[in-house]
Amino acid sequence: MIHSIVRFVSLVLVLVAIPLNAGTGENGIRFNVTFWTTDDGLPQNTINKIIQSSDGYLWLATNNGIVRFDGARFVTYNSDNIPGLENNRAIDLVETADRKIWASTYGGGLSVINAQRTRAVNYNTSDGLKTDFLLNIIQDNDGRIWVRSRSSMQYFENNRFHYFNFNGKPWKNGVGSFFQDSLNRYWFTFRSGIYVLENGLNGNWRKVAQMTYTPDHYYFCTQDPETGHLWFANSNTLVRYRDGGFK
């Protein structure tokens, strides 16, 4: 039941603040839209990230806690009910193979909810983070946890945080988004363009696209697991990268 509604629910939650009525999509497919808000159990209507965990639940990063959704009921995890969870403004989420939920928070560092969902461990500047105001978080193909702030990028490996040195590359302009694709390449979006780091963390940088700075220069990026195509987006544009170019 959970898996059958996941894609639909993900879309609806992203659009929760956008007025939308029933209509007809491509190929004449009829659809209806249901909205969930604080009236239905959400702790807050701003949703910063949605992921699906290995057991099929949707997890939402909100400005007032981390939320689990089974398609009918919202369960909120925050500093009021999870010992060790120090900040409720969750920005991004990732689940690791041991079923832990990692959350980057804006002001509270990095929080990790255990697999039993009973307590959390919190990492902050006293543990080696450069700042407690974190943005993106990903897990790469080698198991490292990466976190981005406005002023730094770090990865967590062997129980400690490591600072990622861009070796004079375009970090000075700020990273907008980043991820690792199925070919183990690291993709970074900067104000100056989209870059890819190949052949490992000490490998070769290559610029694949030029961008003119605008307030929306911070592109989101992801990979379609079925086709392998890469997608980049901001609030105005959605582009696909395949076969060595943007289509």
Side-chain angles (χ1 to χ4, degrees):
M1 174 64 177
I2 292 173
H3 289 280
S4 66
I5 66 170
V6 160
R7 290 186 179 178
F8 173 74
V9 171
S10 297
L11 176 62
V12 170
L13 286 170
V14 169
L15 298 176
V16 70
I18 301 175
L20 189 63
N21 298 316
T24 303
E26 294 183 6
N27 303 318
I29 299 174
R30 185 75 177 174
F31 59 88
N32 292 298
V33 176
T34 302
F35 297 93
W36 287 274
T37 68
T38 52
D39 293 336
D40 305 292
L42 277 172
Q44 209 266 345
N45 284 333
T46 299
I47 298 171
N48 299 313
K49 183 64 178 285
I50 303 173
I51 65 168
Q52 183 184 8
S53 58
S54 56
D55 53 7
Y57 290 103
L58 292 182
W59 289 82
L60 321 176
T62 80
N63 287 345
N64 193 26
I66 301 165
V67 182
R68 190 185 71 182
F69 185 51
D70 63 3
R73 188 170 70 97
F74 296 99
V75 177
T76 300
Y77 300 84
N78 57 30
S79 57
D80 293 331
N81 56 23
I82 297 295
L85 195 60
E86 298 181 5
N87 187 287
N88 292 333
R89 190 176 179 184
I91 303 300
D92 203 353
L93 302 171
V94 69
E95 183 195 31
T96 49
D98 53 8
R99 297 187 61 245
K100 294 178 181 178
I101 299 293
W102 293 63
S104 58
T105 74
Y106 200 72
L110 187 63
S111 296
V112 187
I113 301 178
N114 64 3
Q116 296 74 33
R117 317 303 185 212
T118 56
R119 64 182 302 106
V121 173
N122 200 76
Y123 299 97
N124 52 40
T125 52
S126 63
D127 302 297
L129 280 173
K130 298 294 183 182
T131 176
D132 291 334
F133 293 86
L134 303 179
L135 299 172
N136 303 110
I137 177 174
I138 68 166
Q139 183 178 35
D140 70 17
N141 299 336
D142 295 314
R144 304 181 190 93
I145 298 293
W146 289 74
V147 291
R148 176 182 78 88
S149 71
R150 296 189 184 278
S151 60
S152 66
M153 284 198 65
Q154 294 178 263
Y155 60 89
F156 187 73
E157 185 179 39
N158 297 325
N159 293 316
R160 61 184 291 259
F161 289 97
H162 304 261
Y163 181 71
F164 182 61
N165 187 348
F166 282 83
N167 296 319
K169 295 305 178 184
W171 164 253
K172 64 181 180 180
N173 292 322
V175 172
S177 189
F178 68 103
F179 78 108
Q180 186 184 32
D181 67 17
S182 58
L183 298 177
N184 295 323
R185 300 174 298 184
Y186 293 89
W187 293 79
F188 297 86
T189 66
F190 300 92
R191 294 183 180 183
S192 57
I194 298 174
Y195 289 74
V196 60
L197 176 61
E198 301 170 304
N199 303 316
L201 297 183
N202 297 312
N204 305 311
W205 287 91
R206 179 167 58 89
K207 188 174 185 177
V208 297
Q210 178 72 34
M211 280 192 285
T212 301
Y213 173 70
T214 70
D216 293 320
H217 75 280
Y218 285 139
Y219 276 61
F220 297 99
C221 46
T222 189
Q223 183 174 34
D224 186 330
E226 296 181 1
T227 65
H229 298 163
L230 309 180
W231 291 88
F232 298 85
N234 64 12
S235 61
N236 298 315
T237 308
L238 178 65
V239 295
R240 177 175 58 181
Y241 184 85
R242 64 172 180 172
D243 303 324
F246 290 92
K247 310 292 185 182

